[in-house]
Amino acid sequence: MPETTYIDAITQAMSEEMARDERVFLIGEDVGAYGGAFKTSYGLLDKFGAERVIDTPISEIAIIGAASGAALMGMRPIAEMQFLDFITCGYDILVNFAAMNSYLFGRACPIVVRGPAGGGTHGGPYHSINPEAMFLNRPGLKIVAPGTAYDAKGLLKAAIRDDNPVLYIEHKYLYRRIKENLPDDDYIVPIGKANVRRRGKDLTIITWGAMLYVADDAADELAKDNVSTEIIDLRSIVPFDEDAILESVAKTNRVIILHEAPLTGGAGAEFAARIAEKAFDYLDAPIKRIAALDVPTPYSPPLEAAALPDKTRVLQAARELLAY
Amino acid sequence: MATDVVMPQMGESIAEGTVSRWLKKVGDKVERDEPLLEISTDKVDAEIPSPAAGTVTEILAKEGDTVPVNAVVARIAAEGEAAAAAPAAAPAPAPTKPEPAKPEPEPAKPAAQEKPAAQEKPAAEAAAAPQEPAEAEVTSLDERRRTKSSPLVRKIAKENNVDISQLQGTGVSGRVTKTDILEFLQQPKPAAAAAAPAAQPRDRATAQPRGPQFAAGENVRIEPLSVMRKRIAQHMIESKHTSAHVTTVFEVDFTNVDKLRRRHKDDYAQRGVKLTYLPFIVQAVITGLREFPVLNASMDENSIVYHREMNIGIAVALDWGLIVPVLKQADELNILGIARAVNDLGDRARAKKLTPDDVQGGTFTITNPGIFGSLFGTPIINQPQVAILGVGGVKKRPVVVETDEGDFIAIRSMCYLALTFDHRLVDGAVADQFMARLKETIEDGQFTM
């Protein structure tokens, strides 16, 4: 059986959900005839027709607004952002309308807003954002960020079936680099549940998205020194799996939070605070955060590499914690 | 205005205290200076008087709660305003006063080096508190890492009654890490091993306390250790780990002292002083210590610290434990002065009225198991001292007395005195010479009354 890439897992999830439920449709820029800027929706127009795979003008607020209206009328729209950097143009309708609707008017607004995020592809400041932090503080919106093909498919299906608006963050670096054997049957990955990617006892790395693979590399390196690293793949940022985090911290007592977005005000700050509040007595060393520098992602490849977290920085932090 | 009742600072190095008993409850009237609660700290137990007259409107620390110094434990409303104060929703028991000065890290300042220069206290006092490296003025980051370690290690230490300052750490700045303390707890300890045959290797990560484990519902009653009991346990084990304990026992004839005591008993009683054997023993000990000052000393790795003062600790058994108040500069007192001071310390110990100063600075200790009928004991040294005298019961026994006219059997008041000394510093010959001098002094009975 051929392996499925991360991007094909996304396409499969949309295709299967559209086949399963006729209320599901896709709306976005170039999603139809062109098949999506990254070919995420390749083939869907032929399969489901122009009424369910809708090309729009370049207006994120129109895309999210139309999707939200359709959702209130009983549809299950998937709104694609060509790059998640541009979601800021639709920010208002997403956070002030879609996210609040069920609180204000008692009616859920079940849209999925998805699109490519993340750096490492030399996309520069307008095509590399990791946007989770600016939505973290807006109740009503769920946020997921898969790092594997299995989760990419399972979480997208869960997001489409969820009655709340869900921001689905795809990491474009992983689109064609990650391949896995996926099950044939219809499965979902529950939102809000972390995955213990690797079990260990000396140190916990909490991470998600493309940083999973940085954590893997660091853990392999640490294993050579007999350090056993636990890697928690958070997968869902809102709601996040607090139990999984606290259990792991209670076991290893040393924790690194690793994310690709900039450090200051990043999602890691919330997790660190939660650990300090709820697992203080289990800490044998300070909580460490590794994140991008507080700069826009540079175009220049060497500068981009310097701005984003890498194995070297994880190893340095790990060794500091282990020696603490 | 409601008056806050705060946890008092019972000694410079004390950062927290435990509420052991409330003598008043919410709604009770209380006079100014009337006892309000009893507290227990690392050093002493004490009764805390009410700072104001009025009605107790709030009690913010339960019995058994340990709170920082200056934390508000209760509020007293003056007459007439109790009703107004009562509806205030129970505020969080967070201390409203500033916490004890929390110095900012000052890595550039070598705090540890400055201390000796500033230290002008006599050596006796400096040596008297070796278990407290964490003095309030500690400022350096290194020092705090060593003494505070981490939340996890503090938790494990608390659960297992371990003083982390006594462990060698392998972490940054010599910090005790989780691995260090778990390894320490895994080491077999003679007492624990005997008591816990079922002790088995544990998953370190679970960090469970070792030792016998009982669950509620078994045929046992479980109550938490008091602060005093924990401290006693710690001190006893520390002492056994520190000193090379040797005990020597002498038989001493108290007949002359007994005569003296009976002759002066009533006279002393009229002055409000109960005359026991103890003042005579204290004075004989002083005579001995003058000749053998090494018994009135302390030691560290490189030096012997001879104490200029002779401060004699007197162990006092309490219903709830044991405390050793100190008779300061006992060498400057006559029998009457010693008797009065000993009476006073004993009374205040039982009434929980000792001050932190009363239990500090001892240079030699006397304990008196004889009052319960013991022939003699082998006491544990009160660190950082190097000797402790255990007094057995004074009892009339038939004794062979040798005289020029020949030997005969007489009825004499006899007593066994046992000296435990630290063989690291004191050799057997010196200890026995000291005891011989003690015996001679007591048997001669030449005391100025």
Side-chain angles (χ1 to χ4, degrees), chain B residues 175-198:
Chain B
R175 186 184 78 90
V176 174
T177 65
K178 169 185 150 193
T179 311
D180 293 337
I181 192 165
L182 291 180
E183 269 170 13
F184 172 78
L185 291 171
Q186 298 263 333
Q187 285 165 13
K189 279 180 227 139

Side-chain angles (χ1 to χ4, degrees), chain B residues 35-336:
Chain B
L36 183 59
L37 72 155
E38 288 176 6
I39 64 161
S40 176
T41 70
D42 283 353
K43 287 209 186 295
V44 286
D45 292 347
E47 213 171 63
I48 304 303
S50 174
T55 305
V56 180
T57 55
E58 287 177 75
I59 284 183
L60 302 167
K62 295 192 302 291
E63 290 182 1
D65 281 0
T66 300
V67 301
V69 163
N70 282 335
V72 178
V73 295
R75 292 206 170 87
I76 310 273
E79 213 53 53
E81 62 169 21
T96 51
K97 305 228 168 167
E99 286 184 33
K102 200 193 281 170
E104 289 301 307
E106 287 177 68
K109 186 177 166 196
Q113 310 227 326
E114 279 184 11
K115 279 182 78 177
Q119 184 72 265
E120 287 185 7
K121 291 179 182 172
E125 281 201 48
Q131 286 97 1
E132 294 161 22
E135 290 290 344
E137 66 267 27
V138 165
T139 56
S140 81
L141 180 61
D142 285 351
E143 193 74 14
R144 272 184 294 130
R145 281 196 180 126
R146 250 197 309 280
T147 54
K148 302 274 188 214
S149 185
S150 71
L152 175 72
V153 169
R154 285 207 299 279
K155 176 169 166 257
I156 298 173
K158 200 173 166 195
E159 284 168 359
N160 293 281
N161 269 318
V162 175
D163 180 354
I164 54 177
S165 65
Q166 302 299 308
L167 304 189
Q168 280 298 327
T170 60
V172 62
S173 313
R175 186 184 78 90
V176 174
T177 65
K178 169 185 150 193
T179 311
D180 293 337
I181 192 165
L182 291 180
E183 269 170 13
F184 172 78
L185 291 171
Q186 298 263 333
Q187 285 165 13
K189 279 180 227 139
Q200 44 203 308
R202 284 166 196 286
D203 178 6
R204 282 183 177 182
T206 61
Q208 289 295 323
R210 62 194 298 288
Q213 303 274 307
F214 293 104
E218 287 182 45
N219 195 14
V220 292
R221 186 167 62 86
I222 297 172
E223 48 181 65
L225 289 177
S226 67
V227 173
M228 177 183 268
R229 181 49 55 197
K230 280 186 190 165
R231 292 296 287 188
I232 292 173
Q234 245 172 35
H235 285 173
M236 293 302 113
I237 291 298
E238 264 166 35
S239 183
K240 280 288 196 177
H241 281 319
T242 304
S243 296
H245 284 71
V246 179
T247 304
T248 180
V249 181
F250 273 59
E251 186 181 34
V252 180
D253 186 340
F254 269 66
T255 310
N256 287 337
V257 163
D258 191 44
K259 279 186 200 150
L260 211 50
R261 187 178 81 91
R262 273 186 285 143
R263 198 181 314 146
H264 290 91
K265 217 166 59 174
D266 294 344
D267 177 31
Y268 270 57
Q270 277 174 5
R271 303 194 214 187
V273 177
K274 188 176 158 218
L275 185 58
T276 64
Y277 295 110
L278 191 55
F280 300 98
I281 297 168
V282 171
Q283 206 161 69
V285 162
I286 297 287
T287 309
L289 293 179
R290 283 208 178 95
E291 274 177 52
F292 304 97
V294 72
L295 285 144
N296 194 54
S298 300
M299 70 176 294
D300 61 27
E301 265 174 59
N302 304 309
S303 46
I304 308 176
V305 180
Y306 291 99
H307 301 303
R308 292 203 180 88
E309 295 185 349
M310 294 182 184
N311 299 331
I312 309 297
I314 309 285
V316 178
L318 305 168
D319 291 344
W320 59 93
L322 168 76
I323 197 159
V324 186
V326 176
L327 182 52
K328 296 281 165 63
Q329 292 160 338
D331 52 329
E332 296 176 3
L333 299 174
N334 62 9
I335 294 286
L336 177 64

Side-chain angles (χ1 to χ4, degrees), chain A residues 227-249:
Chain A
V227 173
S228 115
T229 307
E230 179 144 310
I231 299 177
I232 305 282
D233 175 4
L234 218 46
R235 305 193 288 195
S236 291
I237 315 292
V238 178
F240 65 90
D241 194 341
E242 185 180 279
D243 290 346
I245 293 177
L246 298 181
E247 266 171 38
S248 185
V249 172

Side-chain angles (χ1 to χ4, degrees), chain A residues 11 16 28-29 40 51 64 77 97 125 140 150 169 198 201 207-208 210-211 221-222 231 237 241-243 265 324:
Chain A
T11 314
E16 287 176 21
E29 295 154 12
T40 320
E51 285 206 331
I64 299 173
F97 181 77
Y150 180 89
I169 300 172
R198 180 187 296 231
K201 59 181 179 52
T207 189
W208 61 90
M211 288 295 119
E221 192 78 27
L222 290 166
I231 299 177
I237 315 292
D241 194 341
E242 185 180 279
D243 290 346
Y324 185 81

